[in-house]
Amino acid sequence: MASTTPAPYVVEDCGPNLQLFSDGTVIRFEDYNILPPPVLPPALSTVQWKDVVYDSGRGLKLRVYRPPAATVAGEKLPVLVYFHGGGYVIGSFEMDNFHACCLRLAHELPAFVLSADYRLAPEHRLPAAHDDAATAMSWVRGQAVASGGAADPWLAESADFGRVFVSGDSAGAGIVHHVALRLGSGQIAVDPARVAGCALLFPYFGGEERTRSEAEYPPGPFLTLPFSDQGWRLALPRGATRDHPLANPFGPESPAMDGVALPPLLVVVAQLDLLRDRDVDYAARLRAMGKQVEMVEFEGQHHGFFAVEPLGDAGSELVRVVRRFVYGHGGDAAASK
């Protein structure tokens, strides 16, 4: 008797990235990078880098970037933990464009940059990525207290764990938000290291009610409203809406942040980003709670412009903005780049 079980069919088709089938099977396509690879200038070749496992149980790695300034005797440099974008669904620290972003940050801040991979949806739905970020922060804490063979020699020699910053772009910035929340509520402990600030670059937030920019802006070159909605369907727990606390910081069931001791925040916004109004509202509402928030808006730029053109003029200005934040010369600003 022939089987009556229907063959699996595609329920989510993410173009060149992946397909999700009705039985839960996920097929990923290896060559999905649609970003033009950057041509690196010779100066960035002076940044050394290596891959280190931070979660052996899950095989998760981070890429450690050591700037040439770290070789100066007695020079201690800040540490920047970085989470890449990709809607929680695609991406890796190994991708050329994210690699170029981190090379620039390491070289030009200068700082040690720790670019961490994390588990992707839909195979690993949220809060998996946030949990991995917490594990990465625990690894940083471990390095701050490590000695002998347990200590990474680059970090042991020249990293200032009293000046740890956490940053990321798009979904990576969403991860940074949740890292900040967990830090402020005591769910993550990094002592004796200290998180001195968090930089959210065009964060990927969601919500059921459309903002004006979501409703009226034309599709961006690398982020459209259907793609954004699809990302949340794939990343959130099954059955959840975009008002879930993992997507919407101010949703009806999101925890109140008034009493949470958040570190100083830098929020970078792109003027032509579909998510522009949502990101501006995020900064404004936190400011109204008395949080220390600097917001910088880049005119004429779309979502993800730093990863799209890591070596472009806007990317250069973004690195300068992050440098000012890291080295303590921040303040309310507006960039017109």
Side-chain angles (χ1 to χ4, degrees):
M1 183 176 180
S3 172
T4 58
T5 303
Y9 56 92
V10 175
V11 294
E12 293 284 357
D13 189 343
C14 299
N17 303 316
L18 61 86
Q19 290 179 325
L20 173 64
F21 286 79
S22 55
D23 63 353
T25 300
V26 176
I27 294 180
R28 288 188 175 271
F29 306 110
E30 292 185 5
D31 187 17
Y32 62 79
N33 188 3
I34 59 175
L35 300 178
V39 178
L40 301 178
L44 295 185
S45 65
T46 62
V47 177
Q48 296 176 286
W49 57 270
K50 62 184 177 183
D51 294 344
V52 176
V53 174
Y54 75 86
D55 185 341
S56 58
R58 296 191 172 102
L60 293 171
K61 298 179 181 179
L62 55 79
R63 183 162 289 180
V64 182
Y65 295 83
R66 182 194 194 197
T71 62
V72 177
E75 182 78 8
K76 293 282 187 177
L77 295 177
V79 176
L80 181 76
V81 183
Y82 194 88
F83 298 98
H84 65 78
Y88 297 108
V89 174
I90 61 173
S92 166
F93 68 61
E94 296 180 325
M95 290 177 62
D96 291 341
N97 292 60
F98 294 130
H99 180 60
C101 290
C102 291
L103 286 170
R104 285 206 74 177
L105 290 167
H107 186 265
E108 295 177 36
L109 293 184
F112 282 95
V113 175
L114 311 178
S115 180
D117 252 357
Y118 50 88
R119 288 172 292 168
L120 299 176
E123 299 94 327
H124 306 283
R125 292 176 179 265
L126 293 174
H130 302 155
D131 293 341
D132 294 340
T135 302
M137 297 305 298
S138 295
W139 184 90
V140 172
R141 177 183 183 273
Q143 288 299 311
V145 300
S147 60
D152 180 272
W154 289 359
L155 299 177
E157 179 185 18
S158 303
D160 181 357
F161 287 103
R163 291 186 293 162
V164 176
F165 293 81
V166 188
S167 184
D169 65 281
S170 191
I175 291 175
V176 174
H177 164 75
H178 286 277
V179 167
L181 275 183
R182 293 191 186 193
L183 284 167
S185 58
Q187 297 176 57
I188 299 177
V190 295
D191 296 341
R194 182 179 73 92
V195 173
C198 293
L200 295 79
L201 313 182
F202 21 89
Y204 177 52
F205 294 135
E208 284 297 298
E209 183 178 350
R210 299 298 191 196
T211 65
R212 185 185 65 86
S213 60
E214 288 172 337
E216 298 180 7
Y217 282 19
F222 294 99
L223 180 68
T224 65
L225 201 56
F227 182 79
S228 176
D229 290 350
Q230 184 180 59
W232 288 121
R233 290 196 303 272
L234 292 168
L236 290 170
R238 289 179 177 83
T241 72
R242 295 189 302 274
D243 277 336
H244 192 285
L246 295 171
N248 187 349
F250 303 106
E253 298 181 6
S254 298
M257 289 185 276
D258 304 67
V260 179
L262 298 177
L265 302 179
L266 167 67
V267 180
V268 172
V269 179
Q271 183 195 29
L272 303 181
D273 188 354
L274 296 173
L275 304 181
R276 183 261 177 199
D277 289 357
R278 199 171 292 281
D279 294 346
V280 169
D281 179 69
Y282 172 80
R285 292 174 75 161
L286 289 180
R287 276 178 175 163
M289 296 177 195
K291 312 301 183 188
Q292 185 177 338
V293 182
E294 173 189 357
M295 192 192 81
V296 179
E297 181 168 5
F298 280 73
E299 295 183 4
Q301 297 300 318
H302 289 275
H303 185 84
F305 66 85
F306 186 37
V308 173
E309 293 186 2
L311 305 174
D313 291 342
S316 297
E317 179 61 21
L318 185 145
V319 172
R320 286 191 286 270
V321 167
V322 175
R323 185 183 194 280
R324 188 176 67 237
F325 179 69
V326 167
Y327 282 91
H329 304 295
D332 294 346
S336 303
K337 299 293 177 181

